[in-house]
Amino acid sequence: MSRFRFILIAALLLITTPAFAETTRIRDVIYGRKFGTALTMDVIKPEKPTGIGIVVMVSGGFSSDHAWTDGMFTGNTFKPLTDHGHTLFLVVHGSQPKYIVAEIVPDIHRAIRFIRTNAKDYGVDPDRLGITGGSSGGYLSITMGTTGKDGDPSAKDPVDRASSKVQAVACFFPPADLINYGKEGRLFNEFEPVKFVWHTIPVASLPRDQQIKTLRDLSPFWQISKDTAPTFIITGDNDALVPHEQSVRFIQKLEELKIPCKIDIRPGAGHGWANMAKDYELLADWFDQHLAPPR
């Protein structure tokens, strides 16, 4: 396991005492199929649901593994969310090295469309969906916050007729601008600390202008618009893998467009920290605020 994945999973899957004793877990819900392989999610329904649904990215270093959901379920990481009555959808996506980022992102669009289509079955409001994750899961979260799409009303599959938009984002240290990564003009695939995931965005063989185009198209920063979902980011200012300026500039751009946003910068913190589980209380509050039922 790469250090990127190890640090993230160790931080997010803090396994202590069972946290979901008063919840219902539905395992291996198939939300789509990819080359004959099922794409699955686990659903965790709280004892007293409020109608809010939170899409949780099971993702680190653009790897994803259903086995990680056991740690998510038995640990205390997500307890603040379920305590607030949020229904959780633990989404497993197509994983590297089999799939690259451009092939992973469509999985998340599909997952959100599936959740929205089946929202009533899970006791959630299809118009009150949030998303969260850390690192690559944070990237996928802000990607959905910026690029969620309307459904295709003419699609044969009813899932594809639903929107993939989310109404709020709250995440940790997401890569945001892949053409100015840590400093202006430095491409993601030129930043040595993340060399072990360069293959997830295979542009090295392309002319530089094409590299820039591909990386820009995959950068949530460059997809920000007035329709971007309200976004809250927590990041450390000593992150060796995802420079915190990525989050700072992302939030600054949201502020310019007057999109509700917030950033919490942790002095001295790196790519994950020991007490991250406590921060989900802050995320839960953000979702409560921005996913409140209409009056």
Side-chain angles (χ1 to χ4, degrees):
M1 179 180 289
S2 71
R3 60 175 177 152
F4 183 88
R5 288 173 57 195
F6 177 81
I7 294 172
L8 176 67
I9 299 308
L12 294 184
L13 307 188
L14 296 171
I15 301 175
T16 54
T17 56
F20 296 114
E22 304 301 327
T23 63
T24 301
R25 180 184 185 186
I26 306 172
R27 296 174 178 264
D28 293 320
V29 175
I30 297 175
Y31 67 86
R33 297 185 185 277
K34 195 165 188 168
F35 299 106
T37 300
L39 295 168
T40 68
M41 66 176 71
D42 280 13
V43 183
I44 300 176
K45 301 175 70 174
E47 183 180 18
K48 298 179 180 180
T50 62
I52 291 175
I54 305 300
V55 186
V56 180
M57 296 291 92
V58 182
S59 185
F62 294 109
S63 292
S64 191
D65 190 329
H66 185 267
W68 298 350
T69 64
D70 289 334
M72 290 177 167
F73 183 76
T74 59
N76 67 356
T77 300
F78 299 106
K79 189 174 187 298
L81 299 178
T82 55
D83 283 352
H84 280 236
H86 302 168
T87 299
L88 309 184
F89 300 88
L90 310 183
V91 174
V92 180
H93 60 70
S95 179
Q96 69 107 338
K98 178 66 175 177
Y99 298 106
I100 61 175
V101 171
E103 296 168 328
I104 292 170
V105 170
D107 293 353
I108 315 306
H109 284 279
R110 172 72 187 189
I112 293 170
R113 290 190 166 109
F114 177 90
I115 293 166
R116 180 162 279 118
T117 301
N118 297 279
K120 290 184 179 179
D121 294 339
Y122 298 115
V124 301
D125 184 333
D127 296 319
R128 298 167 65 201
L129 298 181
I131 190 168
T132 188
S135 197
S136 66
Y139 166 86
L140 294 170
S141 296
I142 62 173
T143 293
M144 299 313 301
T146 55
T147 68
K149 298 177 177 62
D150 292 332
D152 179 358
S154 63
K156 292 183 179 180
D157 186 343
V159 172
D160 290 332
R161 298 173 203 154
S163 167
S164 64
K165 296 179 180 180
V166 293
Q167 284 67 59
V169 178
C171 65
F172 297 93
F173 35 79
D177 182 359
L178 305 180
I179 63 174
N180 299 288
Y181 200 75
K183 68 177 183 180
E184 186 173 357
R186 180 168 62 195
L187 306 184
F188 177 80
N189 56 297
E190 295 172 340
F191 189 60
E192 287 288 333
V194 296
K195 186 175 183 178
F196 57 91
V197 287
W198 285 353
H199 64 279
T200 64
I201 309 178
V203 296
S205 63
L206 301 175
R208 187 173 179 83
D209 62 334
Q210 292 184 32
Q211 291 186 41
I212 291 172
K213 182 182 184 307
T214 298
L215 291 168
R216 183 185 176 111
D217 289 347
L218 288 172
S219 295
F221 177 86
W222 294 102
Q223 315 309 320
I224 292 172
S225 72
K226 61 180 179 60
D227 296 322
T228 295
T231 301
F232 174 34
I233 298 176
I234 304 179
T235 187
D237 68 1
N238 194 34
D239 192 329
L241 300 177
V242 182
H244 79 288
E245 61 81 28
Q246 294 281 289
S247 298
V248 171
R249 289 193 295 111
F250 189 89
I251 293 297
Q252 287 175 342
K253 192 169 182 180
L254 295 184
E255 290 175 338
E256 291 172 4
L257 294 176
K258 301 188 184 307
I259 294 167
C261 59
K262 181 180 178 181
I263 189 168
D264 185 339
I265 302 174
R266 303 297 170 83
H271 201 69
W273 44 90
N275 60 350
M276 279 181 66
K278 295 180 180 179
D279 294 323
Y280 277 88
E281 185 64 44
L282 302 177
L283 271 58
D285 289 340
W286 180 262
F287 288 132
D288 284 346
Q289 177 183 356
H290 294 284
L291 298 174
R295 295 182 179 179

